[in-house]
Amino acid sequence: MSTTAEKKAGFGSVLWDYLTTVDHKKIAILYLVAGLFFFILGGLQAMLIRIQLIAPDNEFISAQFYNEVLTMHGTTMIFLAAMPLIFALMNAVLPLQIGARDVAFPFINSLGFWLFFFGGIFLNISWFAGGAPDVGWTAYAPLSLFSESHGVDYYSIGLQITGFGTLMGGINFIVTVVNMRAPGMTYMRMPLFTWTSFIASVLILFAFPALTVGLFLLTFDRLFGGNFFDPEMGGNVIIWEHLFWIFGHPEVYILILPAFGVFSEIIPTFSKKRLFGYSSMVFATILIAFLGFMVWAHHMFTVGLGPIANSIFAVATMAIAVPTGIKIFNWLFTMWGGSIRLTSPMVMALGFIPTFTIGGMTGVMLASAAADFQYHDTYFVVAHFHYVIVGGTVLGIFAGIIYWWPKMFGTMLNEKLNHWFFWLFFIGFHLTFFFQHFLGLMGMPRRYWKFLPDQGLDLFNLISTIGAFGMAIGTIIFLINVVMTQMKGEKVSGDPWDARTLEWAIPSPPPFYNFKQEPLVRGLDALWVEKMQGNGKIQPAEPLGDIHMPNRSFVPFVISLGLFIAGFGVMYQGAMWILAAIGFGTTAGAMLYRSVKDDIGYHVHKEELEEEGDGSNG
């Protein structure tokens, strides 16, 4: 098979290429496109919420539709936007940073994406099938048991399908980091983004099964009379909260740790300095992950666990501020005395530090169990977690997309439009959520459809809605930038930022085999080490030889499609059981085919690699 990129004949062949690809770089693009689609969808839902709350006693949308929009906004942003966009960056960058030719299990990587995608589509079909879920993104029992439409069933089945994909992705990245590092790439030479992605993948491995179990029990309660959460039948509603938050709080770190990793790459690159306190950053990341599993019940201070349990979880929650604070100071010390370039990713990093610090400070306030009785279920909590998730994760995702865009596509996003996007989004964000802290302290509850006149809540709600429009305009500018950049198609070099890590040592975009020869890593910031020693490129660790690559496969798509079809049969039952049989049969058949087919991949021959010439910095 030729190593030269074929010119695709048309839309059909490009579509088939992406439907069957197992290349981590193309799967990254699939995650990016799907994640941005769901991000826009979740953003439109957020705009409906803010327009409804622009003025007191507003009738813009009905109470029932508001509940559906509110539920789907949170669910979409967490599961269908933030997670896949982080997986896009992890797929695009992590194998390149450790000098690997792909992830450990390319087939599983493709399967993980298609499971996520079909689970997301399944969830959103609820809009057209009698109503979306209407019980809040946390789906607390017993409210979720008694919701009359099938919306909650779409939620529980769709998120189970998506969760399988995420779990597979997490396991894949763990094995990739453990087994596929280039010669010389010891654990303590790995870039921080690889470290944080690795630790986030470990969190996925332990957190997502709890969510899967909870959703499975909820499905059984609603469809088969399971009574796990129905108190009238001896069930326990608090068990749902425990299962959900044993997943839900580590999920915060699954989302934020890779964003920390992004900024830990951007700040040294644009400060022209090695990351300050690399070892302490690694151990702080591990400590955050460990403590992240010991704090879930701080979401449950008001359910009556008692003063001893509340105290334990309060102390553990406050303790997480310590390793997080270490990271903040290390980023500041990295910039101290550095030669700072105010590129758009660097400006995002500078905006992120105070924003996330505010989110951390309000987190410590919420960690006080006694004070939480005042804050709980008010807009103070809404403001806090948006400062963490949007001010932290989303800002980190967009900084990462802009920073690694040249590596993914070989083109450079327009810097002027990047700055316009950042300032509109950043100012709009603070207008939207900063004043919600005060709305919460003034007594405005979460999830309410409307507020009444003469409660003193009018002005801050109006400012919040104006800020949301600023964020929306900023996002539109980003999308325009993407379209304009790709239409222009101006190619850049392999290392346009003068960066420090291994992914910038090969052309942009990389060839499908990544590295012609395994690189030899001779220190932290492997590319920078070679630059400082006057070498034009990374030294190879092996002679040029044949490269073994996996074949593309349509099987992951078919396995995922089967579960998608089966979901409808399980939900609607009756005559629809035939769909469940067809779906599960399709999935089982595709898995059997995969098991018995002798797929040994193919080789890129040494002669073809020699014909291509030098594959260094583009």
Side-chain angles (χ1 to χ4, degrees):
M1 180 176 287
S2 172
T3 59
T4 54
E6 300 171 28
K7 289 288 181 188
K8 300 300 175 187
F11 175 76
S13 55
V14 173
L15 180 64
W16 180 250
D17 184 32
Y18 276 93
L19 288 176
T20 59
T21 188
V22 295
D23 181 350
H24 72 94
K25 298 175 290 297
K26 288 181 178 174
I27 290 170
I29 293 170
L30 288 171
Y31 270 118
L32 181 65
V33 172
L36 285 174
F37 169 76
F38 284 120
F39 181 79
I40 293 164
L41 191 60
L44 291 172
Q45 290 157 358
M47 294 309 299
L48 289 176
I49 293 169
R50 286 314 320 164
I51 293 169
Q52 168 61 25
L53 294 173
I54 194 170
D57 214 11
N58 198 359
E59 296 284 347
F60 177 68
I61 56 177
S62 69
Q64 174 60 24
F65 185 59
Y66 181 87
N67 286 344
E68 294 175 13
V69 167
L70 185 83
T71 302
M72 287 297 283
H73 166 67
T75 307
T76 300
M77 285 303 199
I78 295 290
F79 294 103
L80 307 181
M83 282 298 299
L85 287 171
I86 283 169
F87 266 43
L89 295 177
M90 288 163 71
N91 264 292
V93 177
L94 187 147
L96 301 178
Q97 285 198 330
I98 62 171
R101 292 207 168 97
D102 207 316
V103 293
F105 308 115
F107 178 90
I108 297 293
N109 200 18
S110 174
L111 178 58
F113 169 76
W114 289 113
L115 284 168
F116 143 72
F117 181 75
F118 276 110
I121 297 299
F122 188 91
L123 176 59
N124 278 278
I125 285 175
S126 62
W127 287 112
F128 311 102
D134 56 357
V135 291
W137 82 278
T138 55
Y140 277 0
L143 181 63
S144 52
L145 300 184
F146 306 134
S147 178
E148 292 179 0
S149 75
H150 272 299
V152 177
D153 302 321
Y154 278 101
Y155 170 97
S156 60
I157 295 171
L159 290 187
Q160 282 180 78
I161 297 170
T162 292
F164 291 145
T166 305
L167 189 57
M168 287 177 184
I171 294 169
N172 208 347
F173 287 122
I174 292 170
V175 179
T176 301
V177 170
V178 170
N179 280 349
M180 299 188 69
R181 286 168 286 123
M185 178 66 78
T186 62
Y187 282 107
M188 295 310 284
R189 287 179 178 175
M190 293 196 313
L192 245 293
F193 180 74
T194 298
W195 257 116
T196 54
S197 299
F198 176 57
I199 298 299
S201 299
V202 173
L203 289 173
I204 287 170
L205 178 62
F206 289 103
F208 265 79
L211 176 68
T212 303
V213 167
L215 292 168
F216 188 77
L217 299 181
L218 179 62
T219 304
F220 260 71
D221 267 20
R222 285 184 56 87
L223 299 177
F224 305 105
N227 298 326
F228 292 103
F229 304 125
D230 186 350
E232 291 185 5
M233 302 297 291
N236 188 333
V237 296
I238 302 300
I239 296 299
W240 167 265
E241 292 194 36
H242 280 296
L243 286 170
F244 186 88
W245 289 118
I246 287 171
F247 148 78
H249 202 81
E251 169 70 2
V252 173
Y253 301 108
I254 291 167
L255 295 175
I256 197 64
L257 286 178
F260 286 172
V262 169
F263 291 120
S264 297
E265 302 297 324
I266 288 170
I267 291 171
T269 295
F270 299 115
S271 299
K272 286 240 170 165
K273 274 182 67 183
R274 175 178 162 163
L275 183 69
F276 182 91
Y278 171 87
S279 300
S280 65
M281 290 288 266
V282 170
F283 291 118
T285 304
I286 295 168
L287 186 57
I288 287 171
F290 176 73
L291 291 173
F293 274 102
M294 301 169 65
V295 300
W296 77 87
H298 70 210
H299 297 268
M300 301 166 59
F301 280 151
T302 60
V303 304
L305 297 179
I308 294 174
N310 281 1
S311 300
I312 291 168
F313 283 102
V315 170
T317 305
M318 292 179 187
I320 285 198
V322 176
T324 310
I326 289 170
K327 288 179 171 290
I328 297 286
F329 282 107
N330 282 7
W331 289 321
L332 294 173
F333 290 145
T334 302
M335 289 184 276
W336 183 268
S339 177
I340 294 176
R341 286 181 288 159
L342 291 177
T343 60
S344 53
M346 188 63 176
V347 172
M348 289 185 175
L350 294 172
F352 156 81
I353 291 174
T355 304
F356 187 79
T357 303
I358 292 171
M361 287 160 52
T362 54
V364 173
M365 292 172 70
L366 287 162
S368 171
D372 189 66
F373 275 77
Q374 166 75 12
Y375 309 136
H376 193 80
D377 264 349
T378 72
Y379 261 75
F380 188 89
V381 179
V382 176
H384 159 70
F385 71 68
H386 280 89
Y387 262 79
V388 173
I389 301 299
V390 183
T393 300
V394 174
L395 214 52
I397 286 168
F398 278 110
I401 290 171
I402 292 168
Y403 180 61
W404 281 305
W405 189 271
K407 185 51 56 184
M408 294 177 73
F409 297 100
T411 58
M412 182 80 87
L413 290 171
N414 182 288
E415 271 290 272
K416 186 175 282 188
L417 289 179
N418 286 342
H419 283 276
W420 271 103
F421 156 64
F422 168 73
W423 286 111
L424 281 166
F425 192 89
F426 185 73
I427 294 168
F429 164 78
H430 283 285
L431 285 175
T432 303
F433 295 108
F434 184 73
F435 295 99
Q436 290 184 8
H437 292 105
F438 303 106
L439 286 172
L441 294 174
M442 291 157 69
M444 184 168 173
R446 294 171 66 178
R447 307 189 185 96
Y448 273 39
W449 166 50
K450 59 168 66 171
F451 60 96
L452 299 176
D454 303 321
Q455 292 184 311
L457 305 175
D458 305 26
L459 178 61
F460 287 167
N461 270 297
L462 175 63
I463 294 171
S464 276
T465 301
I466 292 168
F469 276 100
M471 294 171 75
I473 295 166
T475 306
I476 291 167
I477 288 175
F478 176 80
L479 296 173
I480 291 169
N481 192 1
V482 166
V483 173
M484 284 174 51
T485 300
Q486 294 312 98
M487 285 174 65
K488 267 181 156 178
E490 292 177 7
K491 296 298 179 185
V492 295
S493 70
D495 183 20
W497 300 118
D498 190 22
R500 308 175 71 85
T501 43
L502 207 51
E503 73 270 26
W504 301 104
I506 55 176
S508 299
F512 64 91
Y513 49 76
N514 294 350
F515 296 89
K516 277 187 181 179
Q517 296 159 276
E518 270 199 311
L520 179 64
V521 176
R522 300 200 292 174
L524 179 63
D525 292 344
L527 179 57
W528 197 254
V529 168
E530 302 299 336
K531 286 179 180 179
M532 291 299 99
Q533 294 185 3
N535 300 317
K537 57 185 180 180
I538 294 284
Q539 304 303 304
E542 61 178 4
L544 189 64
D546 293 353
I547 298 174
H548 179 256
M549 298 297 293
N551 286 321
R552 63 180 66 236
S553 177
F554 192 53
V555 176
F557 184 91
V558 176
I559 291 174
S560 307
L561 179 63
L563 288 179
F564 175 77
I565 294 167
F568 292 101
V570 170
M571 189 183 339
Y572 289 105
Q573 301 176 19
M576 299 291 273
W577 274 119
I578 186 67
L579 280 181
I582 292 169
F584 286 128
T586 301
T587 296
M591 292 169 73
L592 180 64
Y593 170 78
R594 169 70 182 174
S595 300
V596 299
K597 185 175 183 294
D598 191 16
D599 185 359
I600 59 171
Y602 67 95
H603 282 86
V604 183
H605 296 294
K606 175 182 175 180
E607 293 74 24
E608 294 180 66
L609 296 170
E610 285 173 339
E611 283 174 21
E612 285 190 358
D614 185 16
S616 62
N617 287 343

